[in-house]
Amino acid sequence: MPRTTTPDEPEDDLDDLPDTHPPQPVYYAEQALLGALLLEPHRLTDIAGIEPDSFSNYAHGALFAAIRALPAPDPNQHAQDTSWLNAVLTAAREHARGLTASYLHTLIQVCPWPKHASAYARMIETEHARRTLRAHAERLALTATDVTLPHPMPTTLAEADALTRAVDNIAARFPAHSGSLPRTPVPAPEANSDNDEEALEEERLLLATATAHPADVEQMRWLTADDFTRPLHAGLWQCLTALARRRALVDPVTVLWEAQQRGLLASGAEPAELLELLGAPAGSAEYWGERILQRSVLATAHHVGLRIEAFTDDPATTPYQLILGSRRALADLSAVRARWHHATAPAPTTRPARARATAPPRAGPPRTTAPPARISR
């Protein structure tokens, strides 16, 4: 059975080369479909959901395009001569010069049942969906880690939107049914970037600045412990947020005491080192928080891309499992992305005029609201 060839390479030139990449099952489905259409061109009316670029083999796609472009021959005439096959070959060779008449006859011979053409087409559609999803997932993972991008967030989120649309398009072609999540083991998140000095320094600056200005912590609910790259820093942020929500006194010593109560010192952290870390504020806590959250969004996007790639690399994963697993992974990205939008959205300066004009009058005297108590240092 012939191997996959490039459009410009005749098959005979490859006869003596070792077959280091044996064809995948979809290759034989493509051969079977093309053989069915060459033998019984009227089967084309049963084919839906695929295009020339749905084929994994370029020459196969060119041949399918030629079959679809030429009018179907009269069945009786087609059974008596090869004029229509010759016309198909001529049209296809304009884009894939390696095609030969003998290969067309091979396609006809290897087709088990022409009446199964629609089943072969569905197999091709499934694999095309898998390749499409993998390409989008790979682009997302690469974009999220591309340090050359001047503005990585909008570019990465645009790739995430494109991946979401691809999943939705696939879902529209493969109706949902009862099933399970993919059984493919997903890659574990990369180890925390303890060697990323920039990330560690930003986290230290946030913790120190938030300790010096604890009132800012209440305005930063969009930042969570999961956004930090180092467990100790995540634990200290939990200490700060707990103290702030209790309206407790906040300074390096009270944070250190809270850290002891939470068992953070058991990990080997020295009290003097923590006091030194928490006593060097600089800049704005919100600025450092947004930097940390941006890093978390990009890390999540990278991991989501790798997860979906793993699903697509497993040939046992069904289309519905691909859809379900991809949507579950994208939901994780959507959650951290929503926090990012909340953190960076401009605060409204005034209430809308319509809201003021249509607000119903209060039944009693206006309720006064005491200003929030400031957190003492």
Side-chain angles (χ1 to χ4, degrees):
M1 193 164 290
R3 291 183 295 273
T4 302
T5 61
T6 63
D8 297 331
E9 291 178 323
E11 297 172 18
D12 293 342
D13 294 343
L14 301 179
D15 286 344
D16 297 329
L17 295 180
D19 192 0
T20 57
H21 299 287
Q24 297 299 310
V26 68
Y27 179 85
Y28 302 104
E30 293 176 4
Q31 286 191 319
L33 173 63
L34 293 173
L37 296 179
L38 292 172
L39 185 62
E40 300 180 4
H42 68 277
R43 299 287 179 186
L44 186 62
T45 58
D46 301 332
I47 305 306
I50 62 172
E51 298 292 332
D53 61 0
S54 301
F55 289 77
S56 64
N57 180 282
Y58 179 85
H60 288 173
L63 190 55
F64 179 76
I67 293 172
R68 196 171 61 171
L70 292 174
D74 176 79
N76 294 329
Q77 184 67 27
H78 182 57
Q80 298 176 9
D81 60 51
T82 61
S83 57
W84 184 80
L85 293 177
N86 294 336
V88 168
L89 178 61
T90 300
R93 291 193 64 176
E94 293 181 5
H95 304 281
R97 292 178 297 189
L99 285 171
T100 62
S102 63
Y103 186 58
L104 267 61
H105 288 289
T106 297
L107 294 176
I108 294 173
Q109 292 172 359
V110 300
C111 176
W113 291 99
K115 63 182 180 181
H116 295 171
S118 60
Y120 306 144
R122 191 64 165 172
M123 299 173 193
I124 295 168
E125 184 181 10
T126 298
E127 287 304 305
H128 179 244
R130 187 188 305 276
R131 292 194 306 273
T132 300
L133 198 57
R134 191 189 195 286
H136 281 287
E138 185 177 16
R139 282 198 294 271
L140 175 62
L142 291 175
T143 302
T145 54
D146 188 351
V147 296
T148 66
L149 294 174
H151 304 289
M153 283 297 291
T155 308
T156 299
L157 296 182
E159 291 293 347
D161 290 338
L163 174 56
T164 301
R165 288 192 297 271
V167 173
D168 291 341
N169 290 336
I170 294 171
R173 302 202 306 271
F174 294 89
H177 58 81
S178 59
S180 60
L181 287 168
R183 297 181 296 273
T184 308
V186 297
E190 292 184 357
N192 290 335
S193 305
D194 289 340
N195 295 326
D196 190 338
E197 285 302 324
E198 182 180 10
L200 295 180
E201 183 63 19
E202 289 172 354
E203 292 176 6
R204 295 188 191 105
L205 290 171
L206 167 67
L207 295 170
T209 307
T211 301
H213 305 282
D216 294 340
V217 175
E218 277 290 274
Q219 311 303 319
M220 298 172 61
R221 292 178 179 267
W222 37 261
L223 189 67
T224 70
D226 292 335
D227 298 321
F228 290 77
T229 61
R230 190 173 180 184
L232 175 62
H233 294 170
L236 290 173
W237 179 249
Q238 289 176 320
C239 293
L240 275 165
T241 56
L243 291 171
R245 289 167 187 171
R246 295 201 306 260
R247 296 290 191 264
L249 300 175
V250 178
D251 62 36
V253 174
T254 61
V255 175
L256 176 63
W257 185 258
E258 182 76 13
Q260 176 179 266
Q261 300 302 303
R262 291 172 174 263
L264 293 182
L265 302 187
S267 63
E270 295 291 338
E273 293 178 356
L274 294 186
L275 288 175
E276 182 181 0
L277 182 156
L278 297 171
S284 162
E286 287 194 357
Y287 171 78
W288 299 122
E290 288 182 11
R291 292 280 298 174
I292 293 168
L293 182 55
Q294 172 177 307
R295 197 182 303 275
S296 178
V297 174
L298 295 176
T300 303
H302 178 248
H303 186 237
V304 166
L306 295 182
R307 284 172 64 185
I308 297 178
E309 278 189 60
F311 296 152
T312 61
D313 287 343
D314 184 355
T317 306
T318 67
Y320 182 65
Q321 287 178 319
L322 282 177
I323 296 165
L324 195 60
S326 297
R327 284 180 168 168
R328 181 70 62 87
L330 287 167
D332 294 341
L333 178 57
S334 295
V336 65
R337 180 177 181 176
R339 293 193 286 114
W340 167 257
H341 286 310
H342 179 67
T344 57
T349 56
T350 59
R351 293 174 58 193
R354 182 181 298 273
R356 292 198 301 269
T358 59
R362 293 180 181 272
R367 184 172 56 191
T368 58
T369 303
R374 293 184 59 83
I375 302 173
S376 302
R377 294 187 55 191

PDB file of all heavy atoms in Angstrom, residues 150-181:
ATOM      1  N   PRO A 150       5.378  42.035  23.143  1.00  0.00           N
ATOM      2  CA  PRO A 150       5.347  43.261  23.954  1.00  0.00           C
ATOM      3  C   PRO A 150       4.124  43.327  24.857  1.00  0.00           C
ATOM      4  O   PRO A 150       4.170  43.905  25.929  1.00  0.00           O
ATOM      5  CB  PRO A 150       5.332  44.377  22.903  1.00  0.00           C
ATOM      6  CG  PRO A 150       4.767  43.739  21.672  1.00  0.00           C
ATOM      7  CD  PRO A 150       5.211  42.310  21.706  1.00  0.00           C
ATOM      8  N   HIS A 151       3.013  42.745  24.415  1.00  0.00           N
ATOM      9  CA  HIS A 151       1.772  42.737  25.205  1.00  0.00           C
ATOM     10  C   HIS A 151       1.221  41.311  25.224  1.00  0.00           C
ATOM     11  O   HIS A 151       0.343  40.965  24.429  1.00  0.00           O
ATOM     12  CB  HIS A 151       0.755  43.709  24.612  1.00  0.00           C
ATOM     13  CG  HIS A 151       1.267  45.106  24.476  1.00  0.00           C
ATOM     14  ND1 HIS A 151       1.496  45.928  25.569  1.00  0.00           N
ATOM     15  CD2 HIS A 151       1.623  45.831  23.376  1.00  0.00           C
ATOM     16  CE1 HIS A 151       1.950  47.098  25.154  1.00  0.00           C
ATOM     17  NE2 HIS A 151       2.040  47.062  23.837  1.00  0.00           N
ATOM     18  N   PRO A 152       1.740  40.479  26.102  1.00  0.00           N
ATOM     19  CA  PRO A 152       1.370  39.049  26.057  1.00  0.00           C
ATOM     20  C   PRO A 152      -0.074  38.771  26.432  1.00  0.00           C
ATOM     21  O   PRO A 152      -0.673  37.813  25.935  1.00  0.00           O
ATOM     22  CB  PRO A 152       2.335  38.406  27.054  1.00  0.00           C
ATOM     23  CG  PRO A 152       2.719  39.515  27.979  1.00  0.00           C
ATOM     24  CD  PRO A 152       2.728  40.761  27.148  1.00  0.00           C
ATOM     25  N   MET A 153      -0.667  39.567  27.315  1.00  0.00           N
ATOM     26  CA  MET A 153      -2.016  39.245  27.789  1.00  0.00           C
ATOM     27  C   MET A 153      -3.060  39.287  26.667  1.00  0.00           C
ATOM     28  O   MET A 153      -3.778  38.301  26.463  1.00  0.00           O
ATOM     29  CB  MET A 153      -2.411  40.184  28.927  1.00  0.00           C
ATOM     30  CG  MET A 153      -1.759  39.812  30.240  1.00  0.00           C
ATOM     31  SD  MET A 153      -2.248  38.170  30.846  1.00  0.00           S
ATOM     32  CE  MET A 153      -3.943  38.476  31.251  1.00  0.00           C
ATOM     33  N   PRO A 154      -3.207  40.393  25.933  1.00  0.00           N
ATOM     34  CA  PRO A 154      -4.240  40.388  24.887  1.00  0.00           C
ATOM     35  C   PRO A 154      -4.002  39.339  23.816  1.00  0.00           C
ATOM     36  O   PRO A 154      -4.955  38.732  23.307  1.00  0.00           O
ATOM     37  CB  PRO A 154      -4.186  41.813  24.313  1.00  0.00           C
ATOM     38  CG  PRO A 154      -2.874  42.362  24.726  1.00  0.00           C
ATOM     39  CD  PRO A 154      -2.543  41.709  26.018  1.00  0.00           C
ATOM     40  N   THR A 155      -2.751  39.085  23.471  1.00  0.00           N
ATOM     41  CA  THR A 155      -2.456  38.084  22.456  1.00  0.00           C
ATOM     42  C   THR A 155      -2.810  36.685  22.949  1.00  0.00           C
ATOM     43  O   THR A 155      -3.408  35.878  22.231  1.00  0.00           O
ATOM     44  CB  THR A 155      -0.974  38.141  22.068  1.00  0.00           C
ATOM     45  OG1 THR A 155      -0.623  39.488  21.716  1.00  0.00           O
ATOM     46  CG2 THR A 155      -0.680  37.242  20.881  1.00  0.00           C
ATOM     47  N   THR A 156      -2.458  36.393  24.188  1.00  0.00           N
ATOM     48  CA  THR A 156      -2.765  35.079  24.751  1.00  0.00           C
ATOM     49  C   THR A 156      -4.266  34.876  24.896  1.00  0.00           C
ATOM     50  O   THR A 156      -4.804  33.801  24.573  1.00  0.00           O
ATOM     51  CB  THR A 156      -2.088  34.921  26.118  1.00  0.00           C
ATOM     52  OG1 THR A 156      -0.665  35.036  25.960  1.00  0.00           O
ATOM     53  CG2 THR A 156      -2.412  33.580  26.742  1.00  0.00           C
ATOM     54  N   LEU A 157      -4.970  35.894  25.360  1.00  0.00           N
ATOM     55  CA  LEU A 157      -6.419  35.763  25.530  1.00  0.00           C
ATOM     56  C   LEU A 157      -7.123  35.643  24.187  1.00  0.00           C
ATOM     57  O   LEU A 157      -8.159  34.962  24.074  1.00  0.00           O
ATOM     58  CB  LEU A 157      -6.962  36.951  26.321  1.00  0.00           C
ATOM     59  CG  LEU A 157      -6.442  37.063  27.761  1.00  0.00           C
ATOM     60  CD1 LEU A 157      -7.074  38.245  28.465  1.00  0.00           C
ATOM     61  CD2 LEU A 157      -6.708  35.769  28.536  1.00  0.00           C
ATOM     62  N   ALA A 158      -6.569  36.271  23.153  1.00  0.00           N
ATOM     63  CA  ALA A 158      -7.140  36.107  21.813  1.00  0.00           C
ATOM     64  C   ALA A 158      -6.981  34.667  21.333  1.00  0.00           C
ATOM     65  O   ALA A 158      -7.889  34.105  20.697  1.00  0.00           O
ATOM     66  CB  ALA A 158      -6.471  37.074  20.837  1.00  0.00           C
ATOM     67  N   GLU A 159      -5.832  34.054  21.628  1.00  0.00           N
ATOM     68  CA  GLU A 159      -5.645  32.643  21.269  1.00  0.00           C
ATOM     69  C   GLU A 159      -6.594  31.747  22.060  1.00  0.00           C
ATOM     70  O   GLU A 159      -7.098  30.742  21.535  1.00  0.00           O
ATOM     71  CB  GLU A 159      -4.195  32.224  21.521  1.00  0.00           C
ATOM     72  CG  GLU A 159      -3.176  32.847  20.574  1.00  0.00           C
ATOM     73  CD  GLU A 159      -3.349  32.364  19.141  1.00  0.00           C
ATOM     74  OE1 GLU A 159      -4.081  31.385  18.899  1.00  0.00           O
ATOM     75  OE2 GLU A 159      -2.738  32.985  18.248  1.00  0.00           O
ATOM     76  N   ALA A 160      -6.836  32.100  23.319  1.00  0.00           N
ATOM     77  CA  ALA A 160      -7.789  31.327  24.115  1.00  0.00           C
ATOM     78  C   ALA A 160      -9.195  31.432  23.527  1.00  0.00           C
ATOM     79  O   ALA A 160      -9.941  30.442  23.501  1.00  0.00           O
ATOM     80  CB  ALA A 160      -7.781  31.826  25.564  1.00  0.00           C
ATOM     81  N   ASP A 161      -9.565  32.622  23.043  1.00  0.00           N
ATOM     82  CA  ASP A 161     -10.879  32.786  22.412  1.00  0.00           C
ATOM     83  C   ASP A 161     -10.970  31.948  21.136  1.00  0.00           C
ATOM     84  O   ASP A 161     -12.008  31.347  20.852  1.00  0.00           O
ATOM     85  CB  ASP A 161     -11.125  34.257  22.091  1.00  0.00           C
ATOM     86  CG  ASP A 161     -11.338  35.097  23.340  1.00  0.00           C
ATOM     87  OD1 ASP A 161     -11.708  34.521  24.381  1.00  0.00           O
ATOM     88  OD2 ASP A 161     -11.123  36.325  23.280  1.00  0.00           O
ATOM     89  N   ALA A 162      -9.884  31.925  20.363  1.00  0.00           N
ATOM     90  CA  ALA A 162      -9.880  31.128  19.129  1.00  0.00           C
ATOM     91  C   ALA A 162     -10.014  29.641  19.452  1.00  0.00           C
ATOM     92  O   ALA A 162     -10.723  28.895  18.755  1.00  0.00           O
ATOM     93  CB  ALA A 162      -8.594  31.386  18.343  1.00  0.00           C
ATOM     94  N   LEU A 163      -9.359  29.197  20.501  1.00  0.00           N
ATOM     95  CA  LEU A 163      -9.478  27.795  20.920  1.00  0.00           C
ATOM     96  C   LEU A 163     -10.910  27.489  21.364  1.00  0.00           C
ATOM     97  O   LEU A 163     -11.462  26.433  21.031  1.00  0.00           O
ATOM     98  CB  LEU A 163      -8.487  27.515  22.051  1.00  0.00           C
ATOM     99  CG  LEU A 163      -8.553  26.139  22.711  1.00  0.00           C
ATOM    100  CD1 LEU A 163      -8.400  25.025  21.685  1.00  0.00           C
ATOM    101  CD2 LEU A 163      -7.476  26.021  23.791  1.00  0.00           C
ATOM    102  N   THR A 164     -11.515  28.407  22.087  1.00  0.00           N
ATOM    103  CA  THR A 164     -12.900  28.205  22.533  1.00  0.00           C
ATOM    104  C   THR A 164     -13.841  28.088  21.340  1.00  0.00           C
ATOM    105  O   THR A 164     -14.743  27.239  21.323  1.00  0.00           O
ATOM    106  CB  THR A 164     -13.331  29.360  23.446  1.00  0.00           C
ATOM    107  OG1 THR A 164     -12.456  29.430  24.581  1.00  0.00           O
ATOM    108  CG2 THR A 164     -14.763  29.172  23.927  1.00  0.00           C
ATOM    109  N   ARG A 165     -13.644  28.950  20.345  1.00  0.00           N
ATOM    110  CA  ARG A 165     -14.491  28.882  19.148  1.00  0.00           C
ATOM    111  C   ARG A 165     -14.293  27.554  18.421  1.00  0.00           C
ATOM    112  O   ARG A 165     -15.254  26.968  17.897  1.00  0.00           O
ATOM    113  CB  ARG A 165     -14.186  30.049  18.218  1.00  0.00           C
ATOM    114  CG  ARG A 165     -14.688  31.404  18.734  1.00  0.00           C
ATOM    115  CD  ARG A 165     -14.625  32.455  17.654  1.00  0.00           C
ATOM    116  NE  ARG A 165     -13.267  32.707  17.202  1.00  0.00           N
ATOM    117  CZ  ARG A 165     -12.449  33.605  17.755  1.00  0.00           C
ATOM    118  NH1 ARG A 165     -12.865  34.322  18.802  1.00  0.00           N
ATOM    119  NH2 ARG A 165     -11.238  33.797  17.298  1.00  0.00           N
ATOM    120  N   ALA A 166     -13.061  27.073  18.374  1.00  0.00           N
ATOM    121  CA  ALA A 166     -12.804  25.782  17.722  1.00  0.00           C
ATOM    122  C   ALA A 166     -13.539  24.655  18.445  1.00  0.00           C
ATOM    123  O   ALA A 166     -14.118  23.768  17.812  1.00  0.00           O
ATOM    124  CB  ALA A 166     -11.301  25.506  17.683  1.00  0.00           C
ATOM    125  N   VAL A 167     -13.524  24.684  19.766  1.00  0.00           N
ATOM    126  CA  VAL A 167     -14.241  23.662  20.536  1.00  0.00           C
ATOM    127  C   VAL A 167     -15.743  23.748  20.249  1.00  0.00           C
ATOM    128  O   VAL A 167     -16.417  22.724  20.067  1.00  0.00           O
ATOM    129  CB  VAL A 167     -13.967  23.829  22.041  1.00  0.00           C
ATOM    130  CG1 VAL A 167     -14.836  22.882  22.859  1.00  0.00           C
ATOM    131  CG2 VAL A 167     -12.498  23.576  22.343  1.00  0.00           C
ATOM    132  N   ASP A 168     -16.273  24.972  20.199  1.00  0.00           N
ATOM    133  CA  ASP A 168     -17.704  25.139  19.926  1.00  0.00           C
ATOM    134  C   ASP A 168     -18.066  24.638  18.529  1.00  0.00           C
ATOM    135  O   ASP A 168     -19.126  24.022  18.329  1.00  0.00           O
ATOM    136  CB  ASP A 168     -18.097  26.614  20.065  1.00  0.00           C
ATOM    137  CG  ASP A 168     -18.029  27.094  21.512  1.00  0.00           C
ATOM    138  OD1 ASP A 168     -18.040  26.236  22.422  1.00  0.00           O
ATOM    139  OD2 ASP A 168     -17.952  28.321  21.725  1.00  0.00           O
ATOM    140  N   ASN A 169     -17.193  24.896  17.562  1.00  0.00           N
ATOM    141  CA  ASN A 169     -17.458  24.420  16.198  1.00  0.00           C
ATOM    142  C   ASN A 169     -17.462  22.897  16.132  1.00  0.00           C
ATOM    143  O   ASN A 169     -18.292  22.291  15.442  1.00  0.00           O
ATOM    144  CB  ASN A 169     -16.417  24.992  15.235  1.00  0.00           C
ATOM    145  CG  ASN A 169     -16.572  26.490  15.020  1.00  0.00           C
ATOM    146  OD1 ASN A 169     -17.658  27.029  15.216  1.00  0.00           O
ATOM    147  ND2 ASN A 169     -15.495  27.152  14.630  1.00  0.00           N
ATOM    148  N   ILE A 170     -16.533  22.284  16.827  1.00  0.00           N
ATOM    149  CA  ILE A 170     -16.489  20.821  16.853  1.00  0.00           C
ATOM    150  C   ILE A 170     -17.725  20.269  17.552  1.00  0.00           C
ATOM    151  O   ILE A 170     -18.321  19.276  17.121  1.00  0.00           O
ATOM    152  CB  ILE A 170     -15.194  20.346  17.530  1.00  0.00           C
ATOM    153  CG1 ILE A 170     -13.976  20.739  16.672  1.00  0.00           C
ATOM    154  CG2 ILE A 170     -15.215  18.841  17.746  1.00  0.00           C
ATOM    155  CD1 ILE A 170     -12.649  20.511  17.351  1.00  0.00           C
ATOM    156  N   ALA A 171     -18.130  20.917  18.636  1.00  0.00           N
ATOM    157  CA  ALA A 171     -19.313  20.456  19.372  1.00  0.00           C
ATOM    158  C   ALA A 171     -20.562  20.520  18.501  1.00  0.00           C
ATOM    159  O   ALA A 171     -21.460  19.687  18.636  1.00  0.00           O
ATOM    160  CB  ALA A 171     -19.495  21.298  20.638  1.00  0.00           C
ATOM    161  N   ALA A 172     -20.620  21.510  17.610  1.00  0.00           N
ATOM    162  CA  ALA A 172     -21.787  21.628  16.736  1.00  0.00           C
ATOM    163  C   ALA A 172     -21.853  20.483  15.724  1.00  0.00           C
ATOM    164  O   ALA A 172     -22.935  20.138  15.247  1.00  0.00           O
ATOM    165  CB  ALA A 172     -21.763  22.977  16.012  1.00  0.00           C
ATOM    166  N   ARG A 173     -20.705  19.899  15.389  1.00  0.00           N
ATOM    167  CA  ARG A 173     -20.676  18.824  14.397  1.00  0.00           C
ATOM    168  C   ARG A 173     -20.781  17.433  15.026  1.00  0.00           C
ATOM    169  O   ARG A 173     -21.088  16.472  14.328  1.00  0.00           O
ATOM    170  CB  ARG A 173     -19.384  18.899  13.573  1.00  0.00           C
ATOM    171  CG  ARG A 173     -19.195  20.220  12.846  1.00  0.00           C
ATOM    172  CD  ARG A 173     -18.258  20.063  11.664  1.00  0.00           C
ATOM    173  NE  ARG A 173     -16.990  19.479  12.017  1.00  0.00           N
ATOM    174  CZ  ARG A 173     -15.919  20.162  12.411  1.00  0.00           C
ATOM    175  NH1 ARG A 173     -16.002  21.475  12.564  1.00  0.00           N
ATOM    176  NH2 ARG A 173     -14.781  19.549  12.675  1.00  0.00           N
ATOM    177  N   PHE A 174     -20.487  17.357  16.324  1.00  0.00           N
ATOM    178  CA  PHE A 174     -20.552  16.073  17.014  1.00  0.00           C
ATOM    179  C   PHE A 174     -21.514  16.216  18.182  1.00  0.00           C
ATOM    180  O   PHE A 174     -21.127  16.706  19.246  1.00  0.00           O
ATOM    181  CB  PHE A 174     -19.165  15.643  17.502  1.00  0.00           C
ATOM    182  CG  PHE A 174     -18.195  15.355  16.395  1.00  0.00           C
ATOM    183  CD1 PHE A 174     -17.407  16.362  15.863  1.00  0.00           C
ATOM    184  CD2 PHE A 174     -18.095  14.075  15.869  1.00  0.00           C
ATOM    185  CE1 PHE A 174     -16.512  16.100  14.833  1.00  0.00           C
ATOM    186  CE2 PHE A 174     -17.198  13.809  14.841  1.00  0.00           C
ATOM    187  CZ  PHE A 174     -16.417  14.826  14.312  1.00  0.00           C
ATOM    188  N   PRO A 175     -22.762  15.828  17.996  1.00  0.00           N
ATOM    189  CA  PRO A 175     -23.762  16.011  19.053  1.00  0.00           C
ATOM    190  C   PRO A 175     -23.336  15.370  20.361  1.00  0.00           C
ATOM    191  O   PRO A 175     -22.696  14.316  20.383  1.00  0.00           O
ATOM    192  CB  PRO A 175     -25.013  15.327  18.478  1.00  0.00           C
ATOM    193  CG  PRO A 175     -24.797  15.318  16.993  1.00  0.00           C
ATOM    194  CD  PRO A 175     -23.313  15.194  16.793  1.00  0.00           C
ATOM    195  N   ALA A 176     -23.713  16.036  21.454  1.00  0.00           N
ATOM    196  CA  ALA A 176     -23.352  15.538  22.780  1.00  0.00           C
ATOM    197  C   ALA A 176     -24.100  14.252  23.100  1.00  0.00           C
ATOM    198  O   ALA A 176     -25.209  14.017  22.629  1.00  0.00           O
ATOM    199  CB  ALA A 176     -23.668  16.602  23.833  1.00  0.00           C
ATOM    200  N   HIS A 177     -23.471  13.423  23.899  1.00  0.00           N
ATOM    201  CA  HIS A 177     -24.098  12.202  24.378  1.00  0.00           C
ATOM    202  C   HIS A 177     -23.478  11.869  25.728  1.00  0.00           C
ATOM    203  O   HIS A 177     -22.499  12.489  26.153  1.00  0.00           O
ATOM    204  CB  HIS A 177     -23.888  11.047  23.392  1.00  0.00           C
ATOM    205  CG  HIS A 177     -22.455  10.747  23.120  1.00  0.00           C
ATOM    206  ND1 HIS A 177     -21.679   9.997  23.963  1.00  0.00           N
ATOM    207  CD2 HIS A 177     -21.638  11.135  22.096  1.00  0.00           C
ATOM    208  CE1 HIS A 177     -20.445   9.911  23.470  1.00  0.00           C
ATOM    209  NE2 HIS A 177     -20.390  10.593  22.343  1.00  0.00           N
ATOM    210  N   SER A 178     -24.060  10.924  26.403  1.00  0.00           N
ATOM    211  CA  SER A 178     -23.526  10.570  27.710  1.00  0.00           C
ATOM    212  C   SER A 178     -22.125   9.989  27.550  1.00  0.00           C
ATOM    213  O   SER A 178     -21.860   9.212  26.636  1.00  0.00           O
ATOM    214  CB  SER A 178     -24.428   9.540  28.395  1.00  0.00           C
ATOM    215  OG  SER A 178     -24.531   8.367  27.604  1.00  0.00           O
ATOM    216  N   GLY A 179     -21.258  10.388  28.418  1.00  0.00           N
ATOM    217  CA  GLY A 179     -19.876   9.924  28.323  1.00  0.00           C
ATOM    218  C   GLY A 179     -19.080  10.394  29.512  1.00  0.00           C
ATOM    219  O   GLY A 179     -19.611  10.936  30.481  1.00  0.00           O
ATOM    220  N   SER A 180     -17.796  10.202  29.454  1.00  0.00           N
ATOM    221  CA  SER A 180     -16.920  10.545  30.564  1.00  0.00           C
ATOM    222  C   SER A 180     -15.841  11.489  30.074  1.00  0.00           C
ATOM    223  O   SER A 180     -15.662  11.708  28.877  1.00  0.00           O
ATOM    224  CB  SER A 180     -16.287   9.281  31.147  1.00  0.00           C
ATOM    225  OG  SER A 180     -15.522   8.618  30.148  1.00  0.00           O
ATOM    226  N   LEU A 181     -15.109  12.024  31.034  1.00  0.00           N
ATOM    227  CA  LEU A 181     -13.964  12.856  30.702  1.00  0.00           C
ATOM    228  C   LEU A 181     -12.871  11.999  30.062  1.00  0.00           C
ATOM    229  O   LEU A 181     -12.861  10.772  30.211  1.00  0.00           O
ATOM    230  CB  LEU A 181     -13.423  13.526  31.963  1.00  0.00           C
ATOM    231  CG  LEU A 181     -14.266  14.663  32.543  1.00  0.00           C
ATOM    232  CD1 LEU A 181     -13.770  15.011  33.935  1.00  0.00           C
ATOM    233  CD2 LEU A 181     -14.215  15.880  31.631  1.00  0.00           C
TER     234      LEU A 181
END
